[in-house]
Every structure is written in structure tokens, then in C-alpha cells.
Amino acid sequence: MSKHTDSTAEVLLEKKGGAGIITLNRPKVLNALSFSMIQQIYPQIKTWEQDPETFLIIIKGTGGKAFCAGGDIRAIADAGKVGGRLAQDFFREEYILNNATGTCKKPYVALIDGITMGGGVGLSVHGHFRVATEKTLFAMPETSIGLFPDVGGGYFLPRLSGKLGYYLGLTGFRLKGRDVVKAGIATHFVESEKLPALEKDLIALKSPSVENIADLLNSYHVKSKVDQEKEFVLDEHMEKINSLFSANSMEEIVQKLKQDGSPFAIKQLETINKMSPTSLKMTLRQLREGASMSLQDVFTMEYRLSQACMRGHDFYEGVRAVLIDKDQSPRWKPAALEEVSDEFMDNCFKPLGNNDLKL
């Protein structure tokens, strides 16, 4: 057993058999990822990666409601307002951790039971295996708080089928349960109540190679009957999503949605109209550029964008409207897509010199 098994700790790090187990332990705040958690998880992953006695890494959340609902956005906003270091350090360390899960030399298994959004997606989506349950609720809702789908969203979203990732990133649409697998985000589906047994079996594996772990996960996946027959929630809309979200600019996407005029298109327009115009433009460009970048280059790009958001207005206004005053009526500046200039966007994507993220 390792040192961090105090049940009051924000994250529990322990070794069981050949498995290193990371448990996010802030159930009251849906296991939101704090800076101190990042600082504990990263070195532990690196240690286990080098340890010949550790064969796989499992990450999960406590409390039954969430795997991880996101990063500690409020703390970042508080720091950013007063020019605190956390607004730089949080994103830097978080992306370094996300990259560590994506390049991990040991099989990495994320049990994404419950709410998995933003920072929680970053802790899971880049690893070898992502196990969803009927309780999984996946979303990248950042455009609604003046951010963009970061934590490597610029890498995994544009690689989903068709324009699905663009749709998810721009609208923050929520996927539930088996749909998270059907979208290509999770690799397996297992009933929530079977997770303790699955974990036990993973720990008990005699030679936990990637293949053996895949076989074990597959055997559970095949036996899971919940919602097995249901078709993908967005199936009937995929043709529209692929055509409407393939435009080269946000203005063009809006125009296509207006021209389409179907109930689905109108609903998307309503959603998009609530989002930060700056975030929407930033996100579309992030995904278009990220589509042909390496994961590391995506993180470097996203770090530049995170710092542009910290310098701007909309992130603080989004946090105020959604998390602090909860009036859900942010006043974005600029308030219209047309007012977000290409020159301003170019600036957001510019290198930060010595402050650039180095992976």
C-alpha cells in the first residue's frame, strides 16, 4: 500500500497487486480536479510507469455521481482576476498530466462512471481504455463559460466520425451511457454495478498486457445488456451535422443552420446563440488546426489559447453567470460573431515565447 490512502485526501493513490489505482476523492464537488490533485497524480503516474512491479494504472472517482465533472474553474477565475500564478500554472500542469496519460507506457484504464466533463475528459480520453457505464454523462461544455474544449479536445474531437466532434465541441451537447461508446469516445461499456468486479479482475490479471486487458474488458462489454439495442442518439441527425458543421467559419455554420430551418437546426442555433462568440470562433479554429496535429502540438496550441482566455473578458463573465451568480445570462464581449476579428483570433494562437508549454 502506498502513502496516500487517507480517506480525507483529495486523491487516493494506492497499489493493489500489479495495479496502480488513482481515486479522485472530492465527491461533494463531483471530483472536480484541483491544482493539488494534478500535482499528486502526475508524479505518481511517472513513478508507476518506471516501476517493473506496476503493470497497469486504473483511474476512477468516488461518490457514485461523477468520475470528474471538470477542472476547478472557479479557483482559476479567482486567480486570473488578480493576475495570480494559478491561471498560468493550472493549465500548464493539467496539460502536462493529460499528455502523460496519452503517452503512458503502462496500460491506462479510466472508469468513467457518472459525470465526465472538461478536465475529467482530459484525465481519461487519451488513455488506452475508457470504460463507460449507464451513468456516464459526457460533455465538453466550455463554450458556455467563455473557454474552449481544451485538455486535448483539439486532438480527439476532430478525429471522431464526420463532424461529430465539431458539433460536440461547439454546442456542448451531452452524451449519455452507451452513446459515449458509440461516439468513439469510450472504448467499452460495463454496467455500473459490475465495476467493482471488473476492477478486482483487472488487479488479479496474471500478465496484464494491453491485449489481456482488452480481452477482459471485452468479456464484460459483451455481457452488458443495458441499452444494447438502442441506436446512437445522434444517428438520425448525423447527415445534417456532417453538412452543417463542415463550414469554414462560424458565420457560415450559423448561415447554414438558418437556411436549413429544420427543428434540429433551429435548436442548434438557439444553443450556439447562448455561447461566447469568441469561444465559438476559437473552438472552430482549434479543431480545424488540431485535426492534423500531434497530441503534443495540440496541447501547446491549447495552452496559448488558455492564456488568451485568461487575458480576455468572456471567461470571467462565463464563470460569473454559470457558477457564481448563476443567472445563466452572460454578457459576452464582443456580443456578436462578426465582431470577433481575424486579427484578434490570430493573436490568441500566437506563440508565448519562453512561456510556451514545453512537453
Side-chain angles (χ1 to χ4, degrees):
M1 295 294 274
S2 83
K3 50 194 184 303
H4 297 289
T5 48
D6 163 19
S7 61
T8 59
E10 290 189 324
V11 58
L12 313 176
L13 304 164
E14 55 191 321
K15 186 86 185 301
K16 285 188 184 168
I21 300 174
I22 302 163
T23 308
L24 310 174
N25 190 37
R26 297 178 78 198
K28 287 197 177 86
V29 289
L30 302 175
N31 299 324
L33 185 64
S34 69
F35 189 53
S36 73
M37 290 162 80
I38 295 169
Q39 288 177 304
Q40 292 173 66
I41 296 168
Y42 175 76
Q44 186 63 76
I45 286 178
K46 286 296 171 193
T47 303
W48 281 334
E49 214 174 14
Q50 300 306 320
D51 174 24
E53 301 298 305
T54 304
F55 302 107
L56 79 156
I57 295 171
I58 299 169
I59 186 166
K60 59 181 182 169
T62 50
K65 284 189 180 160
F67 166 66
C68 170
D72 206 336
I73 294 295
R74 208 165 157 174
I76 300 166
D78 290 344
K81 272 186 212 153
V82 297
R85 288 280 321 171
L86 187 68
Q88 294 168 29
D89 296 346
F90 188 98
F91 291 101
R92 189 185 298 275
E93 302 298 324
E94 182 182 25
Y95 298 172
I96 288 171
L97 169 57
N98 297 154
N99 184 56
T101 67
T103 55
C104 191
K105 293 182 183 71
K106 302 283 166 81
Y108 183 92
V109 184
L111 306 176
I112 54 170
D113 188 31
I115 299 165
T116 304
M117 295 186 187
V121 176
L123 287 175
S124 54
V125 77
H126 306 296
H128 298 94
F129 302 107
R130 287 88 63 190
V131 182
T133 74
E134 72 281 4
K135 296 199 302 199
T136 303
L137 180 62
F138 165 96
M140 293 298 278
E142 289 80 5
T143 54
S144 64
I145 55 161
L147 266 178
F148 57 97
D150 66 335
V151 298
Y155 185 82
F156 84 88
L157 288 170
R159 284 165 174 78
L160 299 178
S161 94
K163 292 293 170 184
L164 175 61
Y166 291 77
Y167 172 68
L168 297 174
L170 291 165
T171 67
F173 184 83
R174 298 172 166 206
L175 291 170
K176 295 177 184 150
R178 213 177 266 275
D179 283 331
V180 183
V181 180
K182 290 179 176 157
I185 293 157
T187 55
H188 295 82
F189 180 90
V190 173
E191 278 108 347
S192 187
E193 62 181 42
K194 301 269 170 47
L195 287 182
L198 171 62
E199 195 182 317
K200 228 167 151 175
D201 286 348
L202 282 168
I203 292 164
L205 278 175
K206 286 290 167 274
S207 56
S209 64
V210 171
E211 293 71 30
N212 294 353
I213 292 167
D215 289 345
L216 178 60
L217 292 173
N218 289 339
S219 72
Y220 271 82
H221 178 85
V222 171
K223 282 186 245 159
S224 293
K225 298 289 182 261
V226 177
D227 293 339
Q228 207 176 20
E229 303 308 314
K230 272 168 84 173
E231 63 169 45
F232 181 46
V233 66
L234 291 169
D235 249 0
E236 56 179 315
H237 304 301
M238 273 318 295
E239 208 176 310
K240 273 201 194 311
I241 286 171
N242 291 340
S243 71
L244 298 170
F245 287 82
S246 63
N248 298 330
S249 70
M250 262 329 290
E251 289 90 337
E252 214 182 312
I253 289 177
V254 167
Q255 200 183 347
K256 281 184 151 193
L257 288 165
K258 282 180 179 160
Q259 281 167 348
D260 183 278
S262 63
F264 176 76
I266 290 163
K267 203 171 166 197
Q268 306 324 309
L269 266 177
E270 281 171 11
T271 301
I272 282 170
N273 283 333
K274 291 182 187 143
M275 305 306 190
S276 153
T278 302
S279 292
L280 289 168
K281 282 205 165 174
M282 189 179 275
T283 298
L284 184 59
R285 181 160 161 186
Q286 169 209 3
L287 301 185
R288 286 171 61 91
E289 294 194 7
S292 57
M293 286 180 171
S294 69
L295 181 60
Q296 289 67 42
D297 288 343
V298 164
F299 284 126
T300 302
M301 166 179 70
E302 291 183 355
Y303 186 69
R304 291 166 185 169
L305 298 179
S306 77
Q307 297 312 293
C309 291
M310 295 304 104
R311 296 191 297 269
H313 164 273
D314 281 7
F315 169 61
Y316 304 103
E317 175 58 12
V319 170
R320 181 206 64 74
V322 175
L323 298 177
I324 298 171
D325 299 341
K326 299 190 166 98
D327 58 22
Q328 311 301 331
S329 38
R331 292 179 287 281
W332 305 122
K333 280 183 199 163
L337 286 169
E338 295 71 29
E339 293 166 27
V340 183
S341 71
D342 292 346
E343 186 188 7
F344 175 80
M345 258 315 119
D346 289 344
N347 262 331
C348 296
F349 282 79
K350 270 200 182 123
L352 299 169
N354 290 335
N355 288 327
D356 252 337
L357 175 68
K358 311 209 176 29
L359 291 170

